[in-house]
Amino acid sequence: MSNSFHNDFMALALDRASLMLENKALDIPVCAVIVKDNKIISIKTNEKEKTNCTMAHAEMLALIEANKKLNSWRLEGCDMYVTLEPCAMCATAIMNARISNLYFSSYDIQYGAFSTSLNLKKFLNSKINVFSGIMVDRGDEILKKYFEKLRK
């Protein structure tokens, strides 16, 4: 897949995260997009605050929707694009789902589980390919705006 596809899918995820800011959503603006054969099969944003559900992270919701659409828990051949480095819960679910490639924008210094805080890929012996820092300036700006609004 060419870089333009990766940028298009990440741009879409960042657009959805940015839209959360515009709509004054309480949730941290994170979006996850799952793609198979260059087609989007799932796109979800964080809903933890909205639903009062601990596990309603964008990645988890996107995985659930993709599982239903493909009628399988195995998501081999799928790529995931996320605006923020997944936490340990999401990272484990992503690897268990057998996502082939993960692309994320911003690094999560506190909870990131693929490179920043820890790297679960090493512990779980996963074959997932991880690509980080995709359109990171835009991802960081969205998060910065969210936390500035939260502090006001």
Side-chain angles (χ1 to χ4, degrees):
M1 194 183 314
S2 72
N3 276 348
S4 66
F5 275 112
H6 300 306
N7 289 341
D8 289 347
F9 293 129
M10 186 59 77
L12 174 62
L14 290 164
D15 287 347
R16 290 287 178 96
S18 185
L19 192 58
M20 291 176 73
L21 277 179
E22 292 172 28
N23 293 336
K24 299 179 181 167
L26 296 175
D27 285 287
I28 297 173
V30 175
C31 180
V33 177
I34 299 178
V35 175
K36 184 170 179 79
D37 299 326
N38 298 330
K39 293 181 184 165
I40 295 169
I41 60 169
S42 181
I43 182 165
K44 292 290 184 179
T45 57
N46 273 355
E47 294 185 4
K48 197 163 91 170
E49 296 292 338
K50 179 180 174 183
T51 62
N52 285 318
C53 178
T54 305
M55 295 169 288
H57 291 205
E59 301 95 325
M60 300 296 281
L61 298 173
L63 288 169
I64 291 166
E65 183 174 72
N67 292 145
K68 288 178 184 175
K69 282 189 178 174
L70 297 178
N71 196 30
S72 177
W73 65 267
R74 292 178 183 89
L75 299 178
E76 293 153 327
C78 291
D79 297 331
M80 181 181 271
Y81 298 82
V82 187
T83 58
L84 180 64
E85 180 179 4
C87 69
M89 173 183 70
C90 293
T92 302
I94 290 165
M95 288 184 285
N96 282 331
R98 299 183 182 163
I99 291 284
S100 297
N101 299 294
L102 171 71
Y103 302 86
F104 70 83
S105 180
S106 297
Y107 296 89
D108 188 338
I109 294 166
Q110 191 169 11
Y111 298 109
F114 277 109
S115 67
T116 309
S117 183
L118 67 137
N119 187 347
L120 284 180
K121 182 180 169 187
K122 291 179 182 177
F123 297 108
L124 299 178
N125 194 26
S126 173
K127 295 179 183 172
I128 190 171
N129 299 304
V130 178
F131 304 92
S132 58
I134 314 292
M135 303 175 86
V136 68
D137 291 340
R138 184 160 178 229
D140 287 352
E141 185 61 29
I142 292 167
L143 292 167
K144 180 181 172 187
K145 285 180 183 176
Y146 170 78
F147 286 108
E148 283 174 355
K149 285 183 179 182
L150 191 65
R151 288 183 194 104
K152 289 183 181 179

